[in-house]
Amino acid sequence: MGHLFNRNVLLGVSGGIAAYKSAELVRQLQESGASVRVIMTRGAQEFITPLTLQALSGNPVHAELLDEEAERGMGHIELARWADLMLIAPATADLLARLAAGRADDLLTTVALATAAPLMLAPAMNQQMWRDPATSDNVHTLGSRGIHLVGPASGEQACGDVGPGRMEEPAVIVAAAAGLFESGLLAGKRVVVTAGPTREAIDPVRYISNHSSGKMGYALARAAAEAGALTTLVSGPVTLPTPEHVSRIDVESAREMLASCQALIGDCDIFIACAAVADYRPAETQADKIKKTQEQVTLQLIRNPDIVSAVAATANGPFTAGFAAETNDVLSYARDKMQRKGLDMIIANDVSDSTIGFNSDDNEVTVLWPGGKRALSRAGKDAIARRIVALIAERLASDG
Ligand code: PMT
Protein backbone atom coordinates (compact mmCIF):
# COMPACT_ATOMS: atom_id res chain seq x y z
CA MET A 1 0.00 0.00 0.00
CA GLY A 2 1.13 3.58 -0.73
CA HIS A 3 1.93 6.10 1.96
CA LEU A 4 1.46 9.77 2.61
CA PHE A 5 4.62 10.38 4.58
CA ASN A 6 5.24 14.10 5.08
CA ARG A 7 2.08 15.04 3.12
CA ASN A 8 -0.31 17.68 4.39
CA VAL A 9 -3.85 16.47 3.87
CA LEU A 10 -6.67 18.95 4.28
CA LEU A 11 -9.77 16.86 4.95
CA GLY A 12 -13.12 18.47 4.13
CA VAL A 13 -16.17 16.90 5.75
CA SER A 14 -19.63 17.77 4.43
CA GLY A 15 -23.01 16.94 5.93
CA GLY A 16 -24.01 13.35 5.29
CA ILE A 17 -24.46 10.29 7.47
CA ALA A 18 -21.09 8.99 6.21
CA ALA A 19 -19.44 11.85 8.14
CA TYR A 20 -19.13 9.41 11.05
CA LYS A 21 -16.51 7.54 8.97
CA SER A 22 -14.35 10.70 8.90
CA ALA A 23 -13.03 9.89 12.36
CA GLU A 24 -11.59 6.60 11.11
CA LEU A 25 -10.37 8.33 7.95
CA VAL A 26 -8.38 10.88 9.99
CA ARG A 27 -6.79 8.02 11.92
CA GLN A 28 -5.85 6.06 8.82
CA LEU A 29 -4.48 9.15 7.03
CA GLN A 30 -2.24 9.77 10.03
CA GLU A 31 -1.19 6.13 10.18
CA SER A 32 -0.04 6.39 6.58
CA GLY A 33 2.18 9.35 7.55
CA ALA A 34 0.05 12.41 6.71
CA SER A 35 -0.46 15.54 8.79
CA VAL A 36 -4.19 16.19 8.82
CA ARG A 37 -6.23 19.37 9.26
CA VAL A 38 -10.02 19.33 9.04
CA ILE A 39 -12.60 21.71 7.61
CA MET A 40 -16.25 20.95 8.39
CA THR A 41 -19.40 22.36 6.87
CA ARG A 42 -22.26 23.33 9.19
CA GLY A 43 -24.15 20.24 8.02
CA ALA A 44 -21.24 17.96 8.90
CA GLN A 45 -21.33 19.22 12.48
CA GLU A 46 -24.87 17.80 12.81
CA PHE A 47 -23.42 14.32 12.25
CA ILE A 48 -20.07 14.41 14.07
CA THR A 49 -18.66 16.96 16.49
CA PRO A 50 -15.66 19.15 15.64
CA LEU A 51 -14.22 18.11 19.01
CA THR A 52 -13.93 14.48 17.87
CA LEU A 53 -12.03 15.42 14.72
CA GLN A 54 -9.92 17.97 16.60
CA ALA A 55 -8.90 15.37 19.16
CA LEU A 56 -8.04 12.82 16.47
CA SER A 57 -6.21 15.19 14.10
CA GLY A 58 -4.43 17.05 16.89
CA ASN A 59 -5.33 20.34 15.19
CA PRO A 60 -8.17 22.83 15.61
CA VAL A 61 -11.08 22.15 13.24
CA HIS A 62 -11.93 24.98 10.84
CA ALA A 63 -15.57 25.71 10.13
CA GLU A 64 -16.33 29.38 9.53
CA LEU A 65 -15.24 31.52 6.61
CA LEU A 66 -15.61 34.78 8.48
CA ASP A 67 -13.89 33.86 11.72
CA GLU A 68 -11.51 36.52 13.02
CA GLU A 69 -9.95 34.16 15.57
CA ALA A 70 -9.24 31.43 13.00
CA GLU A 71 -7.88 33.94 10.48
CA ARG A 72 -5.42 35.14 13.13
CA GLY A 73 -4.12 31.55 13.45
CA MET A 74 -4.23 29.76 10.13
CA GLY A 75 -6.50 31.68 7.76
CA HIS A 76 -8.28 30.22 4.75
CA ILE A 77 -5.51 31.17 2.32
CA GLU A 78 -2.82 29.67 4.58
CA LEU A 79 -4.90 26.48 4.80
CA ALA A 80 -5.17 26.38 1.01
CA ARG A 81 -1.39 26.83 0.68
CA TRP A 82 -0.60 24.34 3.46
CA ALA A 83 -2.35 21.46 1.69
CA ASP A 84 -0.49 18.97 -0.49
CA LEU A 85 -3.87 17.33 -1.05
CA MET A 86 -7.43 18.47 -0.38
CA LEU A 87 -9.66 15.48 0.25
CA ILE A 88 -13.41 15.88 0.76
CA ALA A 89 -15.04 12.84 2.35
CA PRO A 90 -17.94 12.57 2.43
CA ALA A 91 -18.78 14.83 -0.50
CA THR A 92 -22.56 15.23 -0.57
CA ALA A 93 -24.68 15.88 -3.70
CA ASP A 94 -25.05 19.50 -2.57
CA LEU A 95 -21.29 19.90 -2.18
CA LEU A 96 -20.64 18.41 -5.65
CA ALA A 97 -23.15 20.92 -7.08
CA ARG A 98 -21.54 23.86 -5.30
CA LEU A 99 -18.03 22.81 -6.41
CA ALA A 100 -19.20 22.30 -10.00
CA ALA A 101 -20.72 25.80 -9.96
CA GLY A 102 -17.48 27.25 -8.57
CA ARG A 103 -19.24 28.69 -5.54
CA ALA A 104 -17.39 30.02 -2.51
CA ASP A 105 -20.24 30.31 -0.04
CA ASP A 106 -18.60 28.63 2.93
CA LEU A 107 -15.08 27.87 4.15
CA LEU A 108 -14.85 24.45 2.49
CA THR A 109 -15.81 25.56 -1.03
CA THR A 110 -13.70 28.73 -0.70
CA VAL A 111 -10.58 26.77 0.22
CA ALA A 112 -11.32 24.27 -2.58
CA LEU A 113 -11.18 27.19 -5.02
CA ALA A 114 -8.15 28.79 -3.38
CA THR A 115 -5.90 25.75 -3.25
CA ALA A 116 -3.43 24.71 -5.94
CA ALA A 117 -3.26 21.22 -4.40
CA PRO A 118 -4.99 18.29 -6.11
CA LEU A 119 -8.60 17.83 -5.02
CA MET A 120 -10.03 14.37 -4.33
CA LEU A 121 -13.71 13.73 -3.59
CA ALA A 122 -15.35 10.71 -1.98
CA PRO A 123 -19.05 11.13 -2.85
CA ALA A 124 -21.70 9.80 -0.48
CA MET A 125 -25.45 10.11 -0.97
CA ASN A 126 -28.65 8.20 -1.57
CA GLN A 127 -28.47 5.96 -4.68
CA GLN A 128 -31.24 7.89 -6.46
CA MET A 129 -29.48 11.21 -5.80
CA TRP A 130 -26.26 9.71 -7.24
CA ARG A 131 -28.13 8.51 -10.34
CA ASP A 132 -29.90 11.85 -10.87
CA PRO A 133 -28.78 13.52 -14.14
CA ALA A 134 -27.97 16.75 -12.26
CA THR A 135 -25.45 14.89 -10.08
CA SER A 136 -24.08 13.01 -13.12
CA ASP A 137 -23.52 16.35 -14.90
CA ASN A 138 -21.77 17.79 -11.85
CA VAL A 139 -19.53 14.72 -11.56
CA HIS A 140 -18.69 14.98 -15.26
CA THR A 141 -17.88 18.71 -14.91
CA LEU A 142 -15.64 18.09 -11.90
CA GLY A 143 -13.87 15.19 -13.65
CA SER A 144 -13.21 17.36 -16.71
CA ARG A 145 -11.39 19.82 -14.41
CA GLY A 146 -8.98 17.15 -13.25
CA ILE A 147 -10.67 16.61 -9.88
CA HIS A 148 -10.17 13.05 -8.63
CA LEU A 149 -13.07 10.86 -7.54
CA VAL A 150 -12.89 7.82 -5.28
CA GLY A 151 -16.10 5.80 -5.14
CA PRO A 152 -18.89 5.78 -4.39
CA ALA A 153 -19.22 2.11 -3.47
CA SER A 154 -22.40 0.15 -4.02
CA GLY A 155 -24.42 -1.67 -1.39
CA GLU A 156 -26.94 -1.25 1.37
CA GLN A 157 -27.43 2.37 2.41
CA ALA A 158 -28.29 4.00 5.73
CA CYS A 159 -31.75 4.91 4.34
CA GLY A 160 -32.46 1.27 3.50
CA ASP A 161 -31.95 1.61 -0.28
CA VAL A 162 -29.49 -0.59 -2.10
CA GLY A 163 -27.27 0.78 -4.88
CA PRO A 164 -24.36 3.12 -5.63
CA GLY A 165 -23.78 6.02 -3.25
CA ARG A 166 -22.04 4.64 -0.16
CA MET A 167 -18.85 6.45 0.77
CA GLU A 168 -15.80 4.28 0.05
CA GLU A 169 -14.12 2.68 3.04
CA PRO A 170 -11.36 4.81 4.64
CA ALA A 171 -8.64 2.31 3.61
CA VAL A 172 -9.68 2.57 -0.05
CA ILE A 173 -9.70 6.39 0.15
CA VAL A 174 -6.25 6.49 1.78
CA ALA A 175 -4.82 4.14 -0.89
CA ALA A 176 -6.29 6.31 -3.66
CA ALA A 177 -4.86 9.46 -2.05
CA ALA A 178 -1.42 7.87 -1.73
CA GLY A 179 -1.65 6.72 -5.36
CA LEU A 180 -1.87 10.36 -6.49
CA PHE A 181 1.68 10.94 -5.29
CA GLU A 182 3.21 7.87 -6.85
CA SER A 183 4.35 9.34 -10.12
CA GLY A 184 6.07 6.26 -11.51
CA LEU A 185 8.54 8.72 -13.07
CA LEU A 186 11.49 6.51 -12.12
CA ALA A 187 9.68 3.16 -12.13
CA GLY A 188 12.16 0.29 -12.12
CA LYS A 189 15.25 2.57 -12.03
CA ARG A 190 17.99 1.96 -9.49
CA VAL A 191 18.94 5.10 -7.61
CA VAL A 192 21.78 5.68 -5.15
CA VAL A 193 21.73 8.83 -3.01
CA THR A 194 24.55 9.95 -0.72
CA ALA A 195 23.49 12.02 2.28
CA GLY A 196 24.73 13.61 5.48
CA PRO A 197 28.25 14.52 6.52
CA THR A 198 31.32 12.32 6.73
CA ARG A 199 33.49 12.10 9.85
CA GLU A 200 37.25 11.98 9.52
CA ALA A 201 38.83 10.62 12.66
CA ILE A 202 41.64 12.52 14.39
CA ASP A 203 41.88 10.08 17.27
CA PRO A 204 39.44 7.62 18.89
CA VAL A 205 37.27 10.47 20.29
CA ARG A 206 37.68 13.41 17.89
CA TYR A 207 36.87 13.98 14.26
CA ILE A 208 36.53 16.59 11.50
CA SER A 209 33.02 16.98 10.09
CA ASN A 210 30.44 19.57 9.01
CA HIS A 211 26.86 20.70 9.66
CA SER A 212 25.01 18.50 7.17
CA SER A 213 21.93 17.01 8.81
CA GLY A 214 21.07 14.63 5.96
CA LYS A 215 17.62 16.22 5.51
CA MET A 216 18.13 17.08 1.83
CA GLY A 217 19.60 13.70 0.90
CA TYR A 218 16.94 11.79 2.82
CA ALA A 219 14.21 13.86 1.11
CA LEU A 220 15.75 12.93 -2.26
CA ALA A 221 15.78 9.25 -1.36
CA ARG A 222 12.14 9.51 -0.30
CA ALA A 223 11.20 11.30 -3.52
CA ALA A 224 13.04 8.74 -5.66
CA ALA A 225 11.28 5.87 -3.87
CA GLU A 226 7.92 7.61 -4.32
CA ALA A 227 8.71 7.91 -8.02
CA GLY A 228 9.04 4.13 -8.17
CA ALA A 229 12.83 3.77 -8.00
CA LEU A 230 14.67 1.04 -6.10
CA THR A 231 16.52 3.42 -3.86
CA THR A 232 19.62 3.04 -1.71
CA LEU A 233 20.87 5.70 0.67
CA VAL A 234 24.54 5.77 1.50
CA SER A 235 24.41 7.82 4.64
CA GLY A 236 26.94 9.55 6.83
CA PRO A 237 26.14 9.78 10.55
CA VAL A 238 22.76 11.50 11.01
CA THR A 239 19.83 11.12 13.38
CA LEU A 240 17.08 10.70 10.77
CA PRO A 241 14.89 7.61 10.39
CA THR A 242 15.28 5.60 7.18
CA PRO A 243 12.58 6.60 4.67
CA GLU A 244 10.06 3.88 3.83
CA HIS A 245 10.94 1.63 0.89
CA VAL A 246 14.58 2.78 0.94
CA SER A 247 17.61 0.60 1.75
CA ARG A 248 20.26 2.31 3.82
CA ILE A 249 23.97 1.76 4.21
CA ASP A 250 25.63 3.64 7.07
CA VAL A 251 29.17 4.89 6.69
CA GLU A 252 31.43 7.23 8.66
CA SER A 253 34.32 8.46 6.54
CA ALA A 254 34.68 9.62 2.93
CA ARG A 255 36.68 6.50 2.10
CA GLU A 256 33.93 4.26 3.50
CA MET A 257 31.37 6.23 1.50
CA LEU A 258 33.43 5.79 -1.67
CA ALA A 259 33.77 2.03 -1.10
CA SER A 260 29.99 1.62 -0.60
CA CYS A 261 29.18 3.70 -3.68
CA GLN A 262 31.65 1.78 -5.82
CA ALA A 263 30.06 -1.50 -4.74
CA LEU A 264 26.63 -0.22 -5.85
CA ILE A 265 27.50 1.63 -9.01
CA GLY A 266 27.61 -1.29 -11.47
CA ASP A 267 23.90 -1.73 -10.90
CA CYS A 268 22.80 1.88 -10.74
CA ASP A 269 20.94 4.13 -13.22
CA ILE A 270 21.01 7.39 -11.28
CA PHE A 271 23.54 8.60 -8.71
CA ILE A 272 22.71 11.69 -6.63
CA ALA A 273 25.59 13.04 -4.53
CA CYS A 274 24.05 15.16 -1.82
CA ALA A 275 26.47 14.26 0.97
CA ALA A 276 28.72 16.94 2.37
CA VAL A 277 31.86 14.85 2.06
CA ALA A 278 34.87 16.15 4.01
CA ASP A 279 37.38 17.29 1.40
CA TYR A 280 40.30 16.56 3.73
CA ARG A 281 41.12 14.04 6.45
CA PRO A 282 43.94 13.91 8.99
CA ALA A 283 47.05 12.41 7.40
CA GLU A 284 47.25 10.10 10.40
CA THR A 285 44.62 8.91 12.84
CA GLN A 286 46.14 8.58 16.32
CA ALA A 287 45.53 5.19 17.91
CA ASP A 288 45.20 6.76 21.39
CA LYS A 289 43.44 9.90 22.55
CA ILE A 290 45.68 12.96 22.05
CA LYS A 291 46.54 14.34 25.50
CA LYS A 292 46.13 18.00 26.39
CA THR A 293 49.80 18.53 27.20
CA GLN A 294 50.78 20.98 24.45
CA GLU A 295 49.62 24.57 23.86
CA GLN A 296 49.35 23.97 20.13
CA VAL A 297 48.72 20.91 18.02
CA THR A 298 49.25 20.87 14.27
CA LEU A 299 47.11 18.57 12.19
CA GLN A 300 48.30 17.64 8.76
CA LEU A 301 45.38 17.10 6.39
CA ILE A 302 45.38 15.20 3.14
CA ARG A 303 42.84 15.25 0.34
CA ASN A 304 39.98 12.74 0.38
CA PRO A 305 38.97 10.92 -2.81
CA ASP A 306 36.24 12.70 -4.79
CA ILE A 307 33.33 10.27 -4.78
CA VAL A 308 31.04 11.90 -7.33
CA SER A 309 33.91 12.43 -9.80
CA ALA A 310 34.87 8.77 -9.48
CA VAL A 311 31.26 7.70 -10.19
CA ALA A 312 30.93 10.10 -13.14
CA ALA A 313 34.16 8.74 -14.63
CA THR A 314 32.92 5.10 -14.54
CA ALA A 315 32.56 3.58 -18.00
CA ASN A 316 28.84 3.19 -18.82
CA GLY A 317 28.16 4.82 -15.46
CA PRO A 318 24.86 6.18 -14.18
CA PHE A 319 23.26 9.58 -14.77
CA THR A 320 25.21 11.54 -12.17
CA ALA A 321 23.88 14.58 -10.30
CA GLY A 322 25.96 16.46 -7.74
CA PHE A 323 25.34 19.37 -5.42
CA ALA A 324 27.42 22.52 -5.14
CA ALA A 325 27.33 24.12 -1.71
CA GLU A 326 28.58 27.67 -2.29
CA THR A 327 28.53 30.96 -0.43
CA ASN A 328 29.31 33.36 -3.31
CA ASP A 329 29.20 33.38 -7.13
CA VAL A 330 27.01 30.34 -6.61
CA LEU A 331 25.99 29.65 -10.20
CA SER A 332 29.39 30.15 -11.81
CA TYR A 333 31.17 27.96 -9.21
CA ALA A 334 28.43 25.35 -9.62
CA ARG A 335 28.74 25.31 -13.41
CA ASP A 336 32.50 25.02 -13.08
CA LYS A 337 32.12 22.07 -10.67
CA MET A 338 29.71 20.33 -13.04
CA GLN A 339 32.28 20.52 -15.84
CA ARG A 340 35.31 19.63 -13.70
CA LYS A 341 33.59 16.62 -12.13
CA GLY A 342 32.02 15.45 -15.41
CA LEU A 343 28.43 15.58 -14.07
CA ASP A 344 25.14 15.38 -15.97
CA MET A 345 23.50 17.80 -13.54
CA ILE A 346 24.39 19.96 -10.58
CA ILE A 347 22.16 21.50 -7.92
CA ALA A 348 23.50 24.86 -6.80
CA ASN A 349 22.79 25.51 -3.12
CA ASP A 350 23.54 28.92 -1.62
CA VAL A 351 24.67 27.90 1.87
CA SER A 352 25.46 31.49 2.93
CA ASP A 353 21.74 31.73 3.82
CA SER A 354 21.23 29.60 6.94
CA THR A 355 17.49 29.19 6.18
CA ILE A 356 18.09 27.22 2.98
CA GLY A 357 21.26 25.20 3.41
CA PHE A 358 22.77 23.03 6.09
CA ASN A 359 20.31 21.70 8.64
CA SER A 360 17.39 23.88 7.48
CA ASP A 361 13.93 22.46 6.74
CA ASP A 362 13.57 24.54 3.57
CA ASN A 363 15.72 24.91 0.52
CA GLU A 364 15.92 27.02 -2.62
CA VAL A 365 18.24 25.86 -5.40
CA THR A 366 19.09 26.25 -9.06
CA VAL A 367 19.42 23.07 -11.05
CA LEU A 368 21.96 23.25 -13.89
CA TRP A 369 22.69 20.81 -16.68
CA PRO A 370 24.70 21.23 -19.88
CA GLY A 371 22.67 23.73 -21.89
CA GLY A 372 19.94 24.45 -19.33
CA LYS A 373 18.93 25.51 -15.86
CA ARG A 374 15.84 25.73 -13.64
CA ALA A 375 15.43 27.79 -10.47
CA LEU A 376 13.38 26.03 -7.78
CA SER A 377 11.80 28.57 -5.45
CA ARG A 378 11.87 28.20 -1.68
CA ALA A 379 9.95 25.20 -0.33
CA GLY A 380 10.33 22.35 2.15
CA LYS A 381 13.17 19.94 1.33
CA ASP A 382 10.64 17.20 0.42
CA ALA A 383 8.99 19.45 -2.16
CA ILE A 384 12.38 20.54 -3.57
CA ALA A 385 13.45 16.89 -3.73
CA ARG A 386 10.36 15.92 -5.73
CA ARG A 387 11.05 18.70 -8.21
CA ILE A 388 14.69 17.61 -8.56
CA VAL A 389 13.58 14.01 -9.14
CA ALA A 390 11.10 15.18 -11.81
CA LEU A 391 13.89 17.14 -13.54
CA ILE A 392 16.21 14.12 -13.45
CA ALA A 393 13.45 12.00 -15.02
CA GLU A 394 12.98 14.72 -17.68
CA ARG A 395 16.72 14.81 -18.47
CA LEU A 396 16.93 11.01 -18.64
CA ALA A 397 13.97 10.92 -21.01
CA SER A 398 15.48 13.60 -23.24
CA ASP A 399 18.83 11.77 -23.33
CA GLY A 400 16.84 8.77 -24.65
O1 PMT B 1 22.18 17.70 4.84
P1 PMT B 1 21.42 19.00 4.96
O2 PMT B 1 21.56 19.61 6.36
O3 PMT B 1 19.98 18.88 4.53
O4 PMT B 1 22.11 20.07 3.99
C1 PMT B 1 22.04 19.89 2.62
C2 PMT B 1 23.38 20.25 1.96
C3 PMT B 1 23.65 21.73 2.11
C4 PMT B 1 24.52 19.43 2.55
C5 PMT B 1 23.20 19.85 0.44
O5 PMT B 1 22.14 20.58 -0.12
C6 PMT B 1 24.47 20.13 -0.35
O6 PMT B 1 24.70 21.23 -0.86
N1 PMT B 1 25.32 19.06 -0.49
C7 PMT B 1 26.66 19.15 -1.09
C8 PMT B 1 27.65 19.57 -0.06
C9 PMT B 1 29.05 19.62 -0.60
O7 PMT B 1 29.90 18.95 -0.11
O8 PMT B 1 29.20 20.40 -1.64
P2 PMT B 1 30.62 20.61 -2.43
O9 PMT B 1 30.35 21.80 -3.29
O10 PMT B 1 31.74 20.70 -1.46
O11 PMT B 1 30.79 19.31 -3.28
C10 PMT B 1 30.37 19.20 -4.64
C11 PMT B 1 29.88 17.80 -4.94
O12 PMT B 1 30.93 16.89 -4.81
C12 PMT B 1 28.78 17.31 -3.99
O13 PMT B 1 27.87 16.59 -4.79
C13 PMT B 1 29.52 16.39 -3.03
O14 PMT B 1 28.70 15.35 -2.56
C14 PMT B 1 30.61 15.84 -3.93
N2 PMT B 1 31.86 15.48 -3.24
C15 PMT B 1 32.59 16.42 -2.59
C16 PMT B 1 33.79 16.06 -2.02
C17 PMT B 1 34.23 14.72 -2.10
N3 PMT B 1 35.37 14.32 -1.56
N4 PMT B 1 33.48 13.81 -2.73
C18 PMT B 1 32.31 14.16 -3.31
O15 PMT B 1 31.62 13.32 -3.88
Side-chain angles (χ1 to χ4, degrees):
M1 184 175 120
H3 60 85
L4 290 161
F5 190 75
N6 271 358
R7 302 288 181 177
N8 294 335
V9 177
L10 188 55
L11 175 64
V13 183
S14 62
I17 180 66
Y20 80 91
K21 289 189 188 171
S22 306
E24 177 60 14
L25 184 55
V26 170
R27 211 185 54 75
Q28 292 200 22
L29 285 166
Q30 286 178 323
E31 262 178 13
S32 74
S35 299
V36 182
R37 287 181 178 271
V38 180
I39 298 180
M40 298 178 82
T41 62
R42 286 204 182 140
Q45 294 169 57
E46 302 290 333
F47 292 93
I48 181 168
T49 68
L51 198 59
T52 305
L53 298 183
Q54 175 174 315
L56 287 169
S57 68
N59 286 308
V61 166
H62 304 262
E64 297 300 330
L65 181 55
L66 303 172
D67 180 343
E68 244 178 67
E69 194 52 39
E71 290 290 314
R72 261 201 296 276
M74 195 178 234
H76 66 284
I77 297 297
E78 276 81 16
L79 273 176
R81 287 192 186 132
W82 174 84
D84 293 316
L85 168 68
M86 185 163 183
L87 169 66
I88 305 182
T92 59
D94 173 64
L95 190 90
L96 297 183
R98 288 193 290 135
L99 290 174
R103 298 192 62 123
D105 46 6
D106 64 3
L107 181 64
L108 184 53
T109 48
T110 303
V111 174
L113 278 183
T115 190
L119 184 55
M120 178 174 266
L121 309 174
M125 64 200 73
N126 164 270
Q127 54 85 24
Q128 194 52 51
M129 291 170 81
W130 175 252
R131 289 190 168 113
D132 190 277
T135 303
S136 299
D137 285 355
N138 291 332
V139 167
H140 180 76
T141 302
L142 293 167
S144 70
R145 292 183 196 150
I147 291 169
H148 307 272
L149 242 74
V150 50
S154 217
E156 197 171 322
Q157 302 201 294
C159 55
D161 281 7
V162 177
R166 284 164 59 110
M167 186 171 104
E168 266 299 4
E169 290 307 316
V172 176
I173 297 174
V174 172
L180 283 186
F181 295 104
E182 285 163 9
S183 63
L185 279 174
L186 297 181
K189 300 282 183 207
R190 289 177 187 272
V191 174
V192 174
V193 182
T194 68
T198 63
R199 283 181 185 168
E200 310 299 328
I202 298 170
D203 69 14
V205 296
R206 303 180 179 95
Y207 55 80
I208 296 171
S209 192
N210 58 63
H211 295 294
S212 172
S213 62
K215 288 178 192 171
M216 190 67 240
Y218 276 56
L220 282 160
R222 203 159 28 243
E226 273 173 15
L230 294 162
T231 307
T232 306
L233 250 178
V234 180
S235 176
V238 298
T239 54
L240 302 173
T242 309
E244 268 191 63
H245 311 297
V246 169
S247 322
R248 167 169 164 182
I249 298 170
D250 287 318
V251 298
E252 288 260 333
S253 67
R255 285 181 296 171
E256 283 174 26
M257 189 172 272
L258 175 67
S260 292
C261 291
Q262 280 175 329
L264 293 164
I265 226 59
D267 210 12
C268 164
D269 302 296
I270 299 164
F271 182 81
I272 308 175
C274 185
V277 184
D279 290 315
Y280 292 91
R281 67 178 185 276
E284 278 178 61
T285 303
Q286 301 301 318
D288 296 316
K289 184 180 171 192
I290 300 170
K291 291 290 170 203
K292 209 168 57 181
T293 49
Q294 305 163 55
E295 271 312 306
Q296 284 189 4
V297 174
T298 304
L299 275 181
Q300 198 191 352
L301 301 179
I302 55 171
R303 195 103 155 230
N304 261 330
D306 194 302
I307 300 166
V308 76
S309 300
V311 170
T314 313
N316 298 320
F319 179 97
T320 305
F323 272 70
E326 304 292 349
T327 53
N328 59 300
D329 298 325
V330 178
L331 291 191
S332 71
Y333 280 129
R335 204 178 297 280
D336 177 60
K337 253 179 204 170
M338 176 167 67
Q339 278 157 5
R340 239 178 331 108
K341 297 191 181 216
L343 308 181
D344 298 299
M345 178 181 275
I346 198 152
I347 296 109
N349 203 165
D350 182 351
V351 291
S352 68
D353 179 347
S354 64
T355 63
I356 56 165
F358 288 99
N359 203 14
S360 56
D361 290 332
D362 289 347
N363 213 345
E364 181 179 336
V365 298
T366 303
V367 182
L368 305 167
W369 58 90
K373 71 170 180 184
R374 181 87 50 90
L376 304 183
S377 54
R378 182 182 292 243
K381 283 184 172 167
D382 277 302
I384 293 283
R386 287 179 207 120
R387 286 148 78 185
I388 292 172
V389 161
L391 278 173
I392 291 176
E394 211 176 289
R395 298 310 312 147
L396 270 180
S398 79
D399 290 350

